Amino acid sequence: MPEDRAMRVAAALEMVHGYSLVHDDLPAMDDSELRRGRATVHRAFDDATAVLAGDALLTEAFGVLADPATHPDAEVRIKLVKGLSEAAGLHGMAGGQALDLAAESQAGDLMLKDIIALQGRKTGALIVYACTAGAELGQAGDEAYRALAAFGDRLGLAFQIADDLLDHSGSEAETGKPVGRDADRGKATFVDLLGPAGAEEKASDLLAEAREYLDLFGPKADFLRAVTVFVLERKA
């Protein structure tokens, strides 16, 4: 598979990710003034600019995927577009974000299964797409697709737990954004439900499961195995 095709899909996914961060930081959402150590878009400019910048990134992402330069087979391009729309939309990230906002008023009533379901849509959906888009591009078989989807599911949950741990015990200097916001907003998190040690253990277990799904691919999946190590070691 030509590398430039993979890079185009990666760029489209990062456009959606970028839009989500710009909108997440808005006053109506997480109301954050810093992102990666710099002023968030609505702080550097204004709310309207942030809304439009996010809208433009989201829309352009699908244009990139639909371009024949991404793949000469229109059926493959349609699958990529459909997959990203599902990961980013009502049944994925946007729906998960709505649940996350609603959960602020009922955090004490949420159980672990509720948090897993919420984060599986909010964070996990995009990570699963990142893991399966390559299978679509390379027109891999069903077994490979399912293994990568399961890997992405576990990786996504572990990533969110690591994020919760950073918000709980990380520093603004390390993360490049305000910390402690989840507790301030009354959000139910993995750390809140399991405690820091329990959350870290849960993340480690999920990453061990994730690596098992890569056995199908042998040494070709070494990069993905390295990603599972990065998830718990990252500071930002």
Side-chain angles (χ1 to χ4, degrees):
M1 179 180 66
E3 184 178 343
D4 62 328
R5 295 180 188 174
M7 291 302 292
R8 288 182 64 85
V9 177
L13 178 58
E14 185 53 30
M15 286 177 184
V16 172
H17 180 226
Y19 124 79
S20 75
L21 298 182
V22 171
H23 281 195
D24 268 2
D25 291 334
L26 284 164
M29 302 279 272
D30 286 347
D31 193 16
S32 182
E33 65 273 8
L34 283 177
R35 173 71 66 175
R36 295 171 183 164
R38 302 177 64 179
T40 50
V41 177
H42 73 279
R43 290 281 186 167
F45 302 96
D46 52 46
D47 289 6
T49 299
V51 170
L52 292 171
D55 290 347
L57 284 167
L58 176 62
T59 306
E60 185 64 20
F62 293 100
V64 170
L65 292 181
D67 193 304
T70 299
H71 199 283
D73 188 332
E75 185 175 349
V76 172
R77 298 199 305 273
I78 289 170
K79 287 181 178 179
L80 290 169
V81 168
K82 183 174 185 293
L84 186 56
S85 71
E86 290 174 346
L90 176 64
H91 301 291
M93 182 184 65
Q97 180 67 28
L99 291 174
D100 193 28
L101 290 170
E104 291 180 14
S105 62
Q106 53 181 342
D109 299 325
L110 295 180
M111 300 175 66
L112 182 60
K113 63 180 179 63
D114 301 313
I115 303 298
I116 289 175
L118 184 160
Q119 297 298 351
R121 290 173 68 178
K122 182 183 173 187
T123 304
L126 289 186
I127 291 179
V128 169
Y129 181 82
C131 296
T132 57
E136 294 288 14
L137 271 176
Q139 297 175 283
D142 290 343
E143 184 181 16
Y145 185 95
R146 287 193 297 269
L148 288 168
F151 168 80
D153 175 70
R154 275 64 172 183
L155 182 69
L157 281 175
F159 184 94
Q160 184 57 50
I161 293 173
D163 217 45
D164 290 349
L165 285 164
L166 283 172
D167 188 73
H168 176 267
S169 57
S171 69
E172 185 174 305
E174 287 179 322
T175 64
K177 62 181 181 180
V179 296
R181 286 293 185 90
D182 290 342
D184 292 343
R185 295 171 70 93
K187 288 187 177 183
T189 67
F190 287 101
V191 175
D192 182 51
L193 291 173
L194 302 175
E200 188 166 349
E201 182 179 359
K202 179 67 174 176
S204 295
D205 290 345
L206 285 165
L207 292 172
E209 287 182 35
R211 286 189 289 271
E212 289 179 7
Y213 286 103
L214 298 178
D215 291 346
L216 176 67
F217 306 103
K220 291 189 292 184
D222 282 347
F223 176 80
L224 294 179
R225 293 185 181 92
V227 170
T228 66
V229 176
F230 166 77
V231 163
L232 279 183
E233 290 182 347
R234 70 189 180 94
K235 298 297 182 183

